[in-house]
Amino acid sequence: MSNEDANTASIVDVPSGRVMATVPVGREPEGVGVRPDGREVWVTGETDHDVTIIGTDSGRVLGHIVVDKRPRGVAFAPDGRTAYVSAEVGGTLSIVDVATRTVTTVIRMPEGAQPMGIAVSPDGGRVYVTTGRGGTVVVVDAAARRITGSVAVGPRPWGVALTPDGRRLYTANGPSNDVSVVSTETMQVLKRIPVGKMPWGVAIARAGE
């Protein structure tokens, strides 16, 4: 978990609730992503414009990657070879080669976008990026590394999540106090669900969890 005001990330033992380690990271840490094999945690640092890589076995910092201005979210392709980092002020999505820890491609989002949350389709073919004040979700073709579409979902969408089959996408829309449900097949909003004030994130649990 990221501790924004303390410039640290904490590793917590979930069953006991015990903090096992606290690690210094880039200033104003925000997004946290776990590599699919569970060996690394990546944390975005908004003020330092970087990503800190933490080894889950050692709890130590393994390295840093410089990205665009004010990185917010980080997510991985299912095979763990590629990472995606959104930059709110930079207005971009950085594509990172995980093995070499280098930014290989920077995709500029549409005018007015302030990229926030990221979700990757189960097959790794699509990357969905919420655009904050841009009011949309942008669709990126992962193989072609280009934008292929977008859908208006509501004011200031931030958090985003996909169902396990990848057919439904959900966004948390802060100012309108609701969650949008989007069909990824048609890229149309199916409904908007009222929730509490200023929703920030959204998560989907599998049946029985």
Side-chain angles (χ1 to χ4, degrees):
M1 59 182 289
S2 60
N3 308 306
E4 186 171 7
D5 292 338
N7 302 326
T8 61
S10 295
I11 301 172
V12 179
D13 179 72
V14 175
S16 67
R18 181 172 63 90
V19 177
M20 301 175 64
T22 299
V23 185
V25 294
R27 288 178 294 169
E28 286 192 277
E30 180 71 36
V32 178
V34 181
R35 209 171 79 179
D37 62 9
R39 296 177 62 183
E40 294 177 354
V41 173
W42 291 29
V43 183
T44 61
E46 295 178 357
T47 301
D48 284 338
H49 316 306
D50 68 357
V51 176
T52 299
I53 302 171
I54 301 170
T56 54
D57 289 339
S58 66
R60 296 179 178 177
V61 173
L62 303 179
H64 301 272
I65 301 170
V66 176
V67 291
D68 209 347
K69 293 181 180 178
R70 201 167 180 82
R72 287 286 195 167
V74 56
F76 291 86
D79 63 9
R81 296 178 180 178
T82 305
Y84 303 93
V85 182
S86 60
E88 179 187 8
V89 174
T92 61
L93 180 73
S94 291
I95 301 178
V96 182
D97 180 88
V98 171
T100 61
R101 298 177 184 170
T102 56
V103 176
T104 58
T105 306
V106 177
I107 299 174
R108 180 154 298 282
M109 296 287 106
E111 185 176 355
Q114 294 182 319
M116 299 286 190
I118 307 169
V120 183
S121 64
D123 64 1
R126 282 180 166 187
V127 182
Y128 302 94
V129 184
T130 60
T131 62
R133 294 183 187 277
T136 64
V137 171
V138 169
V139 185
V140 174
D141 183 303
R145 301 195 169 193
R146 63 182 179 85
I147 294 172
T148 57
S150 67
V151 57
V153 292
R156 292 184 66 183
W158 198 335
V160 59
L162 284 166
T163 52
D165 62 8
R167 296 178 63 188
R168 296 288 184 269
L169 179 145
Y170 295 76
T171 66
N173 312 317
S176 57
N177 305 324
D178 62 13
V179 170
S180 291
V181 184
V182 178
S183 165
T184 58
E185 295 171 321
T186 64
M187 288 311 297
Q188 294 180 337
V189 175
L190 302 177
K191 64 173 66 175
R192 291 174 65 171
I193 304 170
V195 294
K197 290 184 178 180
M198 296 296 290
W200 176 86
V202 56
I204 297 174
R206 294 178 182 271
E209 292 183 348

